[in-house]
Amino acid sequence: MITPCDSEWVSPIVMVHKPDGTYRLAIDHRALTAVSKHSCYPITAIDIFFMIQSYFQT
């Protein structure tokens, strides 16, 4: 279900042509990306997290 929204964080839904000529719904996040702050500290790779976790459980 798609409903109207007046939020300042809303992203528009657009129709995009697929290679076979049909359409698909897509969300245009460019406005949200423009105001988002990027983290200086990237997330640790999940496999390293599980490796450390298993080390402390043994």
Side-chain angles (χ1 to χ4, degrees):
M1 174 183 290
I2 300 173
T3 59
C5 181
D6 293 328
S7 171
E8 60 189 38
W9 298 103
V10 69
S11 294
I13 298 175
V14 295
M15 298 292 289
V16 180
H17 282 283
K18 291 171 46 175
D20 65 358
T22 59
Y23 290 97
R24 73 169 175 215
L25 289 175
I27 301 174
D28 186 0
H29 289 290
R30 289 180 289 187
L32 180 61
T33 302
V35 297
S36 297
K37 293 183 179 178
H38 297 282
S39 176
C40 299
Y41 305 101
I43 298 173
T44 305
I46 195 71
D47 56 340
I48 294 172
F49 171 76
F50 285 126
M51 184 177 63
I52 292 169
Q53 183 181 15
S54 65
Y55 174 79
F56 286 111
Q57 286 181 352
T58 58

